[in-house]
Amino acid sequence: MNYVKLDIKDGIGTVEFFTEQSNSLPGEILKKLADTITEAGNNPDVKVIVLKSGGNRTFCAGASFDELIAIDSPAKGKEFFMGFANVINAMRKAPKFIIGRLQGKAVGGGIGLAASVDYCFATKHTAIKLSELALGIGPFVVGPAIERKMGLSAMSQMGINPDEFYDPKWAHQKGLFGKLYDDVASLDKAVNELANKLAAYNPDAMAELKKVFWEGTDHWDELLAERAETSGRLVLSEFTRNFIQKFKKK
Amino acid sequence: MNYVKLDIKDGIGTVEFFTEQSNSLPGEILKKLADTITEAGNNPDVKVIVLKSGGNRTFCAGASFDELIAIDSPAKGKEFFMGFANVINAMRKAPKFIIGRLQGKAVGGGIGLAASVDYCFATKHTAIKLSELALGIGPFVVGPAIERKMGLSAMSQMGINPDEFYDPKWAHQKGLFGKLYDDVASLDKAVNELANKLAAYNPDAMAELKKVFWEGTDHWDELLAERAETSGRLVLSEFTRNFIQKFKKK
Amino acid sequence: MNYVKLDIKDGIGTVEFFTEQSNSLPGEILKKLADTITEAGNNPDVKVIVLKSGGNRTFCAGASFDELIAIDSPAKGKEFFMGFANVINAMRKAPKFIIGRLQGKAVGGGIGLAASVDYCFATKHTAIKLSELALGIGPFVVGPAIERKMGLSAMSQMGINPDEFYDPKWAHQKGLFGKLYDDVASLDKAVNELANKLAAYNPDAMAELKKVFWEGTDHWDELLAERAETSGRLVLSEFTRNFIQKFKKK
């Protein structure tokens, strides 16, 4: 059963999402995810936010293929991709630090989520793949978030090689991940440790620092909407139709 | 015999340049190179461009010393350096991905070419040196392209150390190269593999992605022209005259 | 006895600062440091500037705790943090390259100094810690300089983990340091070698290249003043008072 939930304890607001398709994201879950992040950002009991997903394997497989294949107009296409834009913008605007907790692979839009947290912990199983171009679209909505964290070169290397899984050490070296852990137990220990520390720091200082981290991104409401429009148009291409049909037959 | 040529096969447009002085670039070859890249960009049979140079050793030794020494006015100086500006701008504006194939060393302007492709493969012999300051000039025209790919720190480290060859692993780590290979055979295999994949992807998606990769560089027509003017003025300094005379006597 | 001094020899202007509290910086020394850098920048006998600190251990421990604790109004807070802003802006505007020579640890504002030189040499003992958030403030004034050299991800990783010393190899990989040395003797040899080379290069070319390295930072006079205001306000928080009192009792 797909879900998004928020647990608040000791000043730490943990946002967890889950879907039965390797945590790939349909529009409904994207909307709940954006809303839940905004809610945690506004709740005075929450001093720091942790973003995680359910299950022991994939952190997030990106966009839901079932929804991509169902898109039949540019307007519906834009609407779907706005789901990712809204999650990224919610993370950007939440006046609190967000810690990412990645137990395993992140693909496509999943990398966009990882890039939009303020500090990301991952395991040594967290390979990443920016698969969009192989589907006939591109990492348009998530591109700015990935470039901001990893730089233009890393973002474009991944974007141009949509079949390749980049290993977690590379993602760490490029700045997507702050720390890598051998297993989920040590990952959770590290996440809790930092979350507890941050929950006790000066909230005013953290709110100001969050603004500094995101300085120069005020135009992302418009930018990501334009990007969603581009993806929403390209997803209607024959190329995309054929790719998804082939994939689903596997 | 110096040349620039374009071969088109299976959607892959291969642009190859060669000069008898270690692939250092005189104005005439720079002009042909810019024009050929633009031509490949406009040709509907070309889906992806590969940029390479002839010979088995140096990818590109930078500016032609014979031409630098012949410059006798600021106007001629600017004109010469505009040659590099025009090649970089041609690569930037071509609505197709450009793959770089570097068999060996890249010096000065040669690093500018490597930095302006969209994905760069190199061998483990591809050391790089940003030699301009040792000549009394500076990496003004190529600076923006190098900074965009490698960051301000790497660009300035090289610029301030014009005698030092930086090794290919460093250049890879800094994002100039996407992959390094042991020898030319494995280099060519990798270039062909990616070029063939890209030739089959959705061209609309690639054209949009190319725009995204180069977002924020619309002012480079003016910026690189200003930079060419700076280099064109500095190249007339006594410092530069003396350096080139000494070099040519070796 | 605290001091800032300038020695000029063979075209190399060496600026050295020292305080008896691990080279932590009170307002008076910050003012002298900014003035001395500006003086070296304007002196035609100086072709290149070296920035170092006295003693064999810590390069710079950041802001003076004695002065932080004495701040009793937002205006005095801003004034104190403007000390760091003025040093960074003096380094930025000096029309000559500045080489950093770091013998040991850099903390808080000390990382800001290291990030504002044009090329930084360090020893393998130069661990760095961006400690501000632990004090209830944040790396607001030094943030832009650190982000410019190390990127947004490295800056934010350090800013969000104020208790953690990051090792010199990491700082090297992220671009803060250009080269690392085993001991102070090899550090000094390398600094002298580069300083002597730069002292002999074309001064016009270096002045133009310095402008290029700092392009896009013209607004830092205003930006760093705003940042100083933020730090000056946060330093009055109870959180900061308690932290410093506890620290001083140790």
Side-chain angles (χ1 to χ4, degrees):
Chain A
M1 188 60 173
N2 298 351
Y3 65 76
V4 177
K5 60 181 183 185
L6 168 62
D7 283 320
I8 302 175
K9 200 185 152 190
D10 301 332
I12 302 165
T14 301
V15 177
E16 181 177 325
F17 65 90
F18 173 77
T19 76
E20 285 163 359
Q21 291 77 36
S22 305
N23 291 322
S24 67
L25 298 166
E28 195 198 342
I29 291 294
L30 285 167
K31 182 166 174 15
K32 278 192 195 162
L33 189 51
D35 290 348
T36 309
I37 290 164
T38 300
E39 180 192 336
N42 293 337
N43 187 326
D45 292 340
V46 173
K47 308 299 179 197
V48 57
I49 298 168
V50 171
L51 178 71
K52 62 188 290 190
S53 66
N56 292 316
R57 296 176 58 82
T58 304
F59 167 67
C60 174
S64 158
F65 275 15
D66 289 332
E67 299 227 346
L68 285 185
I69 199 69
I71 293 167
D72 58 9
S73 72
K76 285 190 191 161
K78 179 178 179 181
E79 190 192 342
F80 176 74
F81 288 103
M82 281 304 295
F84 282 97
N86 291 338
V87 172
I88 293 171
N89 281 323
M91 295 170 83
R92 175 170 75 82
K93 291 178 192 175
K96 288 154 194 173
F97 290 139
I98 305 179
I99 301 174
R101 182 259 194 204
L102 270 64
Q103 73 276 42
K105 287 180 185 171
V107 175
I111 305 179
L113 300 188
S116 303
V117 304
D118 295 297
Y119 192 95
C120 195
F121 291 100
T123 68
K124 292 189 174 169
H125 308 288
T126 311
I128 60 174
K129 185 171 77 166
L130 204 53
S131 52
E132 282 86 341
L133 185 60
L135 277 71
I137 53 178
F140 297 109
V141 172
V142 296
I146 297 172
E147 182 173 346
R148 171 182 170 270
K149 267 290 178 75
M150 306 180 74
L152 179 280
S153 176
M155 183 273 277
S156 55
Q157 283 178 49
M158 288 194 291
I160 219 170
N161 275 297
D163 288 338
E164 184 167 340
F165 268 107
Y166 284 80
D167 80 28
K169 282 186 192 171
W170 182 87
H172 176 233
Q173 193 249 308
K174 295 300 179 190
L176 182 68
F177 303 142
K179 289 267 171 64
L180 289 183
Y181 294 90
D182 284 333
D183 49 49
V184 169
S186 12
L187 173 75
D188 281 332
K189 192 164 168 274
V191 169
N192 290 338
E193 217 172 275
L194 181 61
N196 278 299
K197 273 194 192 180
L198 291 175
Y201 284 138
N202 184 353
D204 288 346
M206 291 191 289
E208 289 290 345
L209 201 48
K210 173 100 188 197
K211 276 190 233 165
V212 162
F213 288 174
W214 288 89
E215 210 165 74
T217 63
D218 287 344
H219 62 300
W220 281 24
D221 279 348
E222 296 78 40
L223 177 66
L224 301 194
E226 286 166 28
R227 296 294 186 86
E229 203 169 307
T230 301
S231 291
R233 178 173 60 75
L234 290 167
V235 81
L236 299 170
S237 65
E238 198 145 345
F239 193 98
T240 301
R241 304 285 106 181
N242 291 341
F243 180 92
I244 297 179
Q245 294 299 0
K246 249 186 282 177
F247 183 91
K248 293 187 71 87
K249 277 182 196 151
K250 273 184 196 171
Chain B
M1 190 60 175
N2 299 350
Y3 64 76
V4 177
K5 59 182 184 186
L6 168 62
D7 283 320
I8 303 175
K9 202 184 150 188
D10 300 332
I12 303 165
T14 302
V15 176
E16 181 177 324
F17 65 91
F18 174 76
T19 75
E20 285 164 359
Q21 291 78 37
S22 303
N23 291 323
S24 68
L25 298 166
E28 196 198 340
I29 291 293
L30 285 166
K31 181 167 177 11
K32 277 192 197 164
L33 190 51
D35 290 348
T36 308
I37 290 163
T38 301
E39 181 193 336
N42 293 337
N43 187 326
D45 292 340
V46 173
K47 308 298 178 197
V48 56
I49 298 169
V50 172
L51 178 70
K52 62 187 290 190
S53 67
N56 292 315
R57 296 177 57 85
T58 304
F59 167 67
C60 174
S64 157
F65 274 17
D66 289 332
E67 299 226 347
L68 286 184
I69 198 69
I71 293 167
D72 57 9
S73 72
K76 284 191 191 161
K78 180 179 177 180
E79 190 191 342
F80 176 74
F81 289 102
M82 282 304 297
F84 282 96
N86 292 336
V87 172
I88 293 171
N89 281 322
M91 294 169 83
R92 176 171 74 83
K93 293 177 191 174
K96 288 154 194 174
F97 289 140
I98 304 180
I99 302 175
R101 181 260 193 203
L102 269 64
Q103 74 276 45
K105 288 181 183 169
V107 175
I111 305 177
L113 301 188
S116 303
V117 303
D118 296 296
Y119 191 95
C120 195
F121 291 101
T123 68
K124 292 189 173 169
H125 307 288
T126 310
I128 61 174
K129 185 171 75 166
L130 204 52
S131 52
E132 282 86 342
L133 186 59
L135 276 71
I137 53 179
F140 298 108
V141 172
V142 296
I146 297 172
E147 183 174 345
R148 170 182 170 270
K149 267 289 177 77
M150 305 181 74
L152 181 279
S153 177
M155 184 272 278
S156 55
Q157 283 179 47
M158 288 195 290
I160 219 171
N161 275 297
D163 288 336
E164 186 167 339
F165 268 106
Y166 285 79
D167 79 27
K169 283 186 191 169
W170 183 86
H172 176 233
Q173 193 250 307
K174 295 300 178 188
L176 182 68
F177 303 141
K179 289 267 171 65
L180 288 183
Y181 293 91
D182 283 332
D183 50 48
V184 169
S186 11
L187 173 74
D188 282 331
K189 192 164 167 275
V191 169
N192 290 339
E193 217 170 278
L194 181 61
N196 277 298
K197 274 195 191 180
L198 292 174
Y201 285 138
N202 184 353
D204 288 347
M206 291 192 287
E208 290 290 345
L209 200 48
K210 172 99 187 197
K211 276 190 233 163
V212 162
F213 287 174
W214 288 90
E215 210 165 75
T217 63
D218 287 345
H219 62 301
W220 281 25
D221 279 348
E222 296 77 40
L223 176 66
L224 301 194
E226 287 166 27
R227 297 293 187 89
E229 204 168 305
T230 302
S231 291
R233 179 173 58 75
L234 290 167
V235 80
L236 298 169
S237 66
E238 199 145 346
F239 193 99
T240 301
R241 303 285 107 180
N242 292 341
F243 180 91
I244 297 180
Q245 293 299 359
K246 248 187 282 177
F247 184 90
K248 292 190 70 90
K249 277 184 194 147
K250 272 183 196 167
Chain C
M1 188 63 174
N2 298 351
Y3 65 76
V4 177
K5 61 181 182 185
L6 168 62
D7 284 319
I8 303 176
K9 202 184 150 187
D10 300 333
I12 302 165
T14 302
V15 177
E16 181 178 324
F17 65 91
F18 174 77
T19 77
E20 285 163 359
Q21 290 79 35
S22 305
N23 291 322
S24 68
L25 297 167
E28 196 198 341
I29 291 293
L30 285 166
K31 180 165 176 14
K32 277 192 198 164
L33 190 50
D35 291 346
T36 308
I37 290 163
T38 301
E39 181 193 335
N42 292 337
N43 187 326
D45 292 340
V46 173
K47 308 299 178 196
V48 57
I49 298 168
V50 172
L51 178 71
K52 62 187 290 190
S53 67
N56 292 315
R57 295 176 58 85
T58 304
F59 167 67
C60 174
S64 157
F65 275 16
D66 288 333
E67 299 226 347
L68 286 184
I69 198 70
I71 292 167
D72 57 10
S73 72
K76 284 191 192 159
K78 179 178 179 182
E79 191 190 342
F80 176 74
F81 289 103
M82 280 305 295
F84 282 97
N86 291 337
V87 172
I88 293 171
N89 280 323
M91 294 170 83
R92 174 171 75 82
K93 292 178 192 174
K96 288 153 195 174
F97 290 139
I98 304 180
I99 302 175
R101 182 258 193 205
L102 271 63
Q103 74 275 43
K105 287 179 184 169
V107 176
I111 306 178
L113 301 188
S116 303
V117 304
D118 296 296
Y119 191 95
C120 195
F121 292 100
T123 68
K124 292 190 173 168
H125 308 288
T126 310
I128 60 174
K129 185 171 77 166
L130 204 52
S131 51
E132 283 86 342
L133 186 59
L135 276 71
I137 52 178
F140 298 109
V141 172
V142 296
I146 296 171
E147 182 174 346
R148 172 183 169 269
K149 266 290 177 74
M150 305 180 74
L152 180 280
S153 176
M155 185 274 278
S156 56
Q157 283 178 48
M158 288 195 290
I160 219 171
N161 276 298
D163 288 338
E164 185 167 341
F165 268 106
Y166 285 80
D167 81 27
K169 282 184 193 172
W170 182 85
H172 176 233
Q173 194 249 307
K174 295 300 179 189
L176 182 67
F177 302 142
K179 290 267 170 66
L180 288 183
Y181 294 90
D182 284 333
D183 49 48
V184 169
S186 13
L187 173 74
D188 282 331
K189 193 165 166 274
V191 169
N192 290 337
E193 218 171 277
L194 181 61
N196 277 297
K197 272 194 193 181
L198 291 174
Y201 285 138
N202 184 354
D204 288 347
M206 290 192 288
E208 289 290 344
L209 200 48
K210 173 99 187 197
K211 276 191 234 164
V212 161
F213 288 174
W214 288 90
E215 210 164 75
T217 63
D218 287 344
H219 63 299
W220 282 24
D221 279 348
E222 296 77 42
L223 176 66
L224 302 194
E226 287 166 28
R227 297 293 186 87
E229 204 168 305
T230 302
S231 291
R233 178 173 59 75
L234 291 168
V235 81
L236 298 170
S237 65
E238 199 144 346
F239 193 98
T240 301
R241 305 283 105 182
N242 292 341
F243 180 91
I244 297 180
Q245 294 298 1
K246 248 186 281 176
F247 184 90
K248 293 187 71 86
K249 276 181 197 152
K250 273 183 196 166

